Amino acid sequence: MGAPDITLQPLTKDTRPVPATVQERRAAWLLTAPALSLMVLILLLPVVVAAILSFTDYALGNDTFRWVGWKNYSHLFTRRTYEKMFLATFTYVVTVVPISVGLGLGAALLINSLGRFREIYKTIYFLPVMATLLAMSIAWEFMLHPSIGMINRTLELGCGTLFEAIPLIREGCADRFPVWLGDKRYAIWVISFIGIWQGFGFNMVLYLAGLTSVHRELYNAAEMDGAKSAWEQFRLVTWPALGPTTVFVVTISCIRAFQVFDTIEAFWPQGGGPNKSTYVMMFAIFEKGVQQNLIGIGSAITMLFLVFVMLLTIVQCWLVERKVHY
Amino acid sequence: MTRSLFKHLILILGAIVVIAPFYMMVSYSFKSPGEIDRGEGGFFGRQEMMIDERCVKLRDPDRRDIALAADRFSGQSDDQIRQALIQEAEADCSMRPVVFNYTKAFTEAPLLRYLLNGVIVTGSIFLIQVIVALPAAYALAKLKFWGREAAFGLVLFCLLIPVHAIALPLYILLAKLGLTNTYAALVVPWTISVFGIFLMRQFFMTVPDDLIDAARMDGMQELSIVWRVMLPTAIPALLAFAIFSVVAHWNDYFWPRIVVTGNRDLFTPPLGLREFKGDGDGSFFGPMMATATVIVTPLIFAFLIAQRRFIEGITLSGMK
């Protein structure tokens, strides 16, 4: 096949448009076929499968299954466990996204305004993004250890000093310090803290990239218009210029926050935390679908999860579109 | 002046919080169990000789050992020989805490195997992603064909689907094919990187058509244009994508956790660490942190060497 084509090539050169398109079309389909079929098999087919299974009581190993209608979904919205699941997931997302975006922006602005040592801060803040989250979760678990952990040891240092004015330290000194991961009042906040710790460096880097595209002249212009203070300049120039970056950073942070799993599985392999206070959706899919083989309910959670992620992305697209029309 | 000092102060405080767990992880990997318990010894620990209790217990002399050693300790009672043997064992089993922690990390669990698995899995994922994505990206960027818009639309739609989110149906399909607990299960769901296609397509759009026309006139087939003309021009973008892909899959825990159950030979580094944690007791904090350090180090090290490229690669998804 290859050899004749090569010898024919000079002949077809003059009349290129017509034969080339036929050839081009065939080549194009050959080149895209593997990618397209894998997309259908690995990404689209599973969505369809999950959609179908979410209406059944299928379990791996069973030959047959029954249709159960909307039962799986109605369980999700009526049972106490799933109420906790939504609560944990949304608490996490609503905490982690704004704070990690805010800290990312703050760090970027601070670093950008500095002359020296910028690179060092950038490197340090980016470290958690690179590190294996599971390994770092275990490190955090030791830090949070109630008796020998670094955190409670550091808090103990505050005993007998002015820091005792802080309620947490006062109570800790009088009685004992929090057990953090074992306490349902703290668990979800600790998880959120680690999520923020891990993610804000990523947002910082995106904002730093965004800041390089803000033109110097805009600041000069704003100053001439009377925006002298740093805050005014930020409000009038930097923030609007960073609009598209912010939309993107928020969306990607949301999608990542929805997928939190590693820390929770590392801290509480069974059950999703004290009193299920950290029973997030990814963990629920894993526990129900994979461990307990309740495929129907797992698929229903999967479908809800996909709906959330798609909605988020659509909102993002809508926001970006709106910006374009300005 | 004071202003920038204040800024530095805030940033340094932030840096301390960010570094704290790394500091603790590396520090614990140096210390003896006692030092970890009591929280002393600074960063490196005192590195006093310590005795590995388990190793001594394993060499606990029984009757046969004592009989065999009778020649060496002639004229002593069995009890004395026993004591002498225990002392010998203790001498052989004593070592510096840092040596203890890191040898335990590699001997308690087949850590080298886990690391090798990590390399195999991330390597094959990246290779297949490139083999699948590059031709498709080229076709979508440079060839005119009926259905191109639809194909690209499909790519954009698939960008919306996070693979982790559809893990359950993927797991069921793989289980039905009997592929769970194989390398294939670890690799297959990631073979298609829609993001890679999108990225490379955007990059190929900027390659001048003349380059491709010239190659066609030289009689090159489309497929060889992809590998011999387009690939070399795409090296920088490909490198950034490589970093993006390798970091994501070296660190991934969720997917391996689902499809690999029990078969240690297939464990990726995070799974190995997880198992280590599962059956470790209090005295194993040191070795566990040594394992964690070993797993985290390769990427951090590479990152420190080629920072700019890494930040570029990881934040690729943020570029317009």
Side-chain angles (χ1 to χ4, degrees), chain A residues 5-292:
Chain A
D5 268 342
I6 286 165
T7 50
L8 281 175
Q9 207 68 31
L11 291 174
T12 57
K13 198 166 69 179
D14 310 322
T15 54
R16 192 174 165 273
V18 180
T21 42
V22 179
Q23 223 182 342
E24 209 171 292
R25 202 182 328 157
R26 200 192 311 146
W29 280 110
L30 279 176
L31 294 180
T32 44
L36 290 178
S37 35
L38 282 176
M39 256 185 264
V40 171
L41 280 176
I42 292 176
L43 298 171
L44 296 182
L45 178 68
V47 175
V48 176
V49 168
I52 295 171
L53 290 177
S54 69
F55 294 103
T56 69
D57 66 348
Y58 181 71
L60 267 180
N62 289 7
D63 295 326
T64 58
F65 57 80
R66 281 183 310 122
W67 295 97
V68 296
W70 292 92
K71 205 176 105 195
N72 290 325
Y73 290 96
S74 71
H75 276 180
L76 288 186
F77 292 107
T78 50
R79 295 228 170 136
R80 198 71 189 97
T81 320
Y82 301 113
E83 193 186 306
K84 284 181 177 169
M85 174 183 84
F86 290 122
L87 184 70
T89 311
F90 288 116
T91 312
Y92 182 85
V93 172
V94 168
T95 314
V96 170
V97 173
I99 299 181
S100 70
V101 171
L103 282 178
L105 176 62
L109 288 172
L110 278 179
I111 288 175
N112 207 44
S113 70
L114 288 176
R116 273 184 302 171
F117 305 118
R118 301 163 58 134
E119 291 303 314
I120 299 178
Y121 292 124
K122 212 162 116 181
T123 307
I124 291 176
Y125 288 171
F126 203 71
L127 279 180
V129 183
M130 301 289 314
T132 311
L133 183 56
L134 185 89
M136 297 324 292
S137 305
I138 292 175
W140 272 112
E141 195 175 1
F142 285 175
M143 301 264 300
L144 293 160
H145 193 286
S147 57
I148 63 167
M150 202 188 257
I151 292 185
N152 279 358
R153 280 219 170 112
T154 312
L155 290 178
E156 270 169 36
L157 294 179
C159 288
T161 66
L162 282 177
F163 289 106
E164 272 208 55
I166 303 166
L168 178 75
I169 294 183
R170 192 174 54 236
E171 281 165 32
C173 295
D175 185 16
R176 59 194 174 101
F177 284 99
V179 284
W180 301 116
L181 297 177
D183 190 327
K184 69 173 183 211
R185 285 174 304 166
Y186 293 114
I188 187 74
W189 307 115
V190 172
I191 291 289
S192 303
F193 174 81
I194 298 175
I196 295 164
W197 168 84
Q198 204 239 348
F200 87 96
F202 182 78
N203 297 340
M204 172 200 72
V205 165
L206 290 178
Y207 271 123
L208 279 172
L211 280 172
T212 56
S213 62
V214 185
H215 293 294
R216 281 272 129 225
E217 302 92 73
L218 285 175
Y219 290 107
N220 298 337
E223 210 171 320
M224 276 191 233
D225 283 353
K228 289 262 192 290
S229 72
W231 166 248
E232 284 284 289
Q233 293 208 347
F234 172 76
R235 197 174 62 86
L236 290 170
V237 181
T238 320
W239 181 246
L242 288 177
T245 313
T246 303
V247 172
F248 179 78
V249 168
V250 170
T251 316
I252 206 157
S253 300
C254 276
I255 293 175
R256 286 158 65 107
F258 263 114
Q259 296 189 43
V260 60
F261 175 81
D262 296 14
T263 40
I264 288 161
E265 216 273 345
F267 294 156
W268 306 282
Q270 271 101 32
N275 197 19
K276 290 223 183 267
S277 57
T278 60
Y279 191 64
V280 294
M281 288 179 94
M282 272 312 213
F283 188 81
I285 293 176
F286 172 70
E287 192 199 57
K288 293 290 162 195
V290 179
Q291 288 190 316
Q292 300 178 359

Side-chain angles (χ1 to χ4, degrees), chain B residues 11 19 42 51 59 61 63 85 108 115 123 152 160 173 213 224 228 235 261 263 270 284 302 311 319:
Chain B
L11 286 170
I19 293 223
I51 294 166
R59 289 186 39 172
R63 227 167 251 293
L85 280 175
E108 280 299 299
L115 293 171
F152 189 58
L160 290 179
L173 292 173
D213 284 338
S224 50
R228 293 184 21 213
I235 293 292
T261 43
N263 186 356
F284 264 64
I311 292 181
M319 291 202 246

Side-chain angles (χ1 to χ4, degrees), chain A residues 2 5-6 9 13 16 21 23-25 27-29 31-32 34-36 38-47 49-50 53 58 60-62 107 110-111 113-114 116-117 119 121-136 138-143 145 148-150 153 193 197 200 202 205-206 230 244-245 248 252 255 259 261-262 265-269 282-283 285-286 289-291 294-295 297-299 302 305-306 309-310 313-314, chain B residues 3-4 7-15 17-25 28 36-40 132-133 135-136 138-140 142-148 151 154-155 157-158 160-173 175-176 188-192 194 197 213 216-219 221-223 226 247 250-254 257-258 270-271 273-274 277 285 288-289 292 295-296 299-300 303-304 307 310-311 314-315 317-320:
Chain A
D5 268 342
I6 286 165
Q9 207 68 31
K13 198 166 69 179
R16 192 174 165 273
T21 42
Q23 223 182 342
E24 209 171 292
R25 202 182 328 157
W29 280 110
L31 294 180
T32 44
L36 290 178
L38 282 176
M39 256 185 264
V40 171
L41 280 176
I42 292 176
L43 298 171
L44 296 182
L45 178 68
V47 175
V49 168
L53 290 177
Y58 181 71
L60 267 180
N62 289 7
L110 278 179
I111 288 175
S113 70
L114 288 176
R116 273 184 302 171
F117 305 118
E119 291 303 314
Y121 292 124
K122 212 162 116 181
T123 307
I124 291 176
Y125 288 171
F126 203 71
L127 279 180
V129 183
M130 301 289 314
T132 311
L133 183 56
L134 185 89
M136 297 324 292
I138 292 175
W140 272 112
E141 195 175 1
F142 285 175
M143 301 264 300
H145 193 286
I148 63 167
M150 202 188 257
R153 280 219 170 112
F193 174 81
W197 168 84
F200 87 96
F202 182 78
V205 165
L206 290 178
T245 313
F248 179 78
I252 206 157
I255 293 175
Q259 296 189 43
F261 175 81
D262 296 14
E265 216 273 345
F267 294 156
W268 306 282
M282 272 312 213
F283 188 81
I285 293 176
F286 172 70
V290 179
Q291 288 190 316
L294 299 169
I295 307 274
I297 211 90
S299 303
T302 299
F305 191 96
L306 284 173
V309 171
M310 299 231 169
T313 320
I314 289 166
Chain B
R3 258 175 85 125
S4 89
K7 284 176 186 166
H8 278 296
L9 195 71
I10 296 177
L11 286 170
I12 287 170
L13 274 177
V17 175
V18 168
I19 293 223
F22 291 99
Y23 172 91
M24 199 225 55
M25 176 177 78
Y28 275 23
I36 292 174
D37 265 355
R38 293 188 298 274
E40 40 178 53
V132 172
Y138 165 71
L140 289 173
K142 288 294 177 193
L143 300 179
K144 291 178 200 65
F145 61 103
W146 181 87
R148 183 169 82 162
L154 185 65
V155 170
F157 178 74
C158 286
L160 290 179
I161 307 171
V163 178
H164 277 169
I166 52 169
L168 182 62
L170 274 173
Y171 161 74
I172 295 165
L173 292 173
K176 280 281 159 210
V188 163
W190 308 104
T191 49
I192 177 79
V194 192
I197 297 177
D213 284 338
R216 285 200 187 118
M217 284 184 196
D218 285 346
Q221 297 286 306
E222 298 294 332
L223 195 62
V226 173
V247 170
W250 180 268
N251 291 339
D252 188 20
Y253 173 64
F254 183 63
R257 179 80 180 83
I258 288 179
L271 278 182
L273 179 60
R274 181 68 190 73
K277 178 177 179 265
F285 284 175
M288 204 152 87
M289 286 295 100
I295 290 171
V296 171
L299 285 186
I300 298 283
F303 166 65
L304 292 178
Q307 263 183 63
F310 264 74
I311 292 181
I314 305 286
T315 52
S317 45
M319 291 202 246
K320 289 282 132 61

Side-chain angles (χ1 to χ4, degrees), chain B residues 86-211:
Chain B
I86 289 178
Q87 258 165 27
E88 258 178 26
E90 278 177 354
D92 284 351
C93 287
S94 67
M95 53 182 103
R96 307 262 173 222
V98 56
V99 179
F100 172 78
N101 289 341
Y102 281 90
T103 45
K104 276 287 176 240
F106 280 95
T107 52
E108 280 299 299
L111 182 56
L112 268 180
R113 179 66 197 245
Y114 300 161
L115 293 171
L116 184 69
N117 284 341
V119 172
I120 292 174
V121 169
T122 47
S124 359
I125 288 176
F126 174 66
L127 218 80
I128 300 176
Q129 280 177 338
V130 170
I131 291 173
V132 172
L134 227 52
Y138 165 71
L140 289 173
K142 288 294 177 193
L143 300 179
K144 291 178 200 65
F145 61 103
W146 181 87
R148 183 169 82 162
E149 297 307 311
F152 189 58
L154 185 65
V155 170
L156 290 181
F157 178 74
C158 286
L159 271 175
L160 290 179
I161 307 171
V163 178
H164 277 169
I166 52 169
L168 182 62
L170 274 173
Y171 161 74
I172 295 165
L173 292 173
L174 287 170
K176 280 281 159 210
L177 296 170
L179 283 176
T180 45
N181 285 312
T182 59
Y183 278 117
L186 288 168
V187 173
V188 163
W190 308 104
T191 49
I192 177 79
S193 171
V194 192
F195 173 65
I197 297 177
F198 178 75
L199 182 82
M200 296 319 284
R201 180 218 176 232
Q202 302 303 83
F203 185 82
F204 286 158
M205 297 284 268
T206 65
V207 176
D209 284 336
D210 297 349
L211 196 68

Side-chain angles (χ1 to χ4, degrees), chain B residues 50-60 90 93-94 100 104 283:
Chain B
M50 59 174 277
I51 294 166
D52 178 2
E53 301 293 347
R54 235 200 255 190
C55 161
V56 176
K57 221 171 265 166
L58 274 180
R59 289 186 39 172
D60 193 39
E90 278 177 354
C93 287
S94 67
F100 172 78
K104 276 287 176 240
S283 67

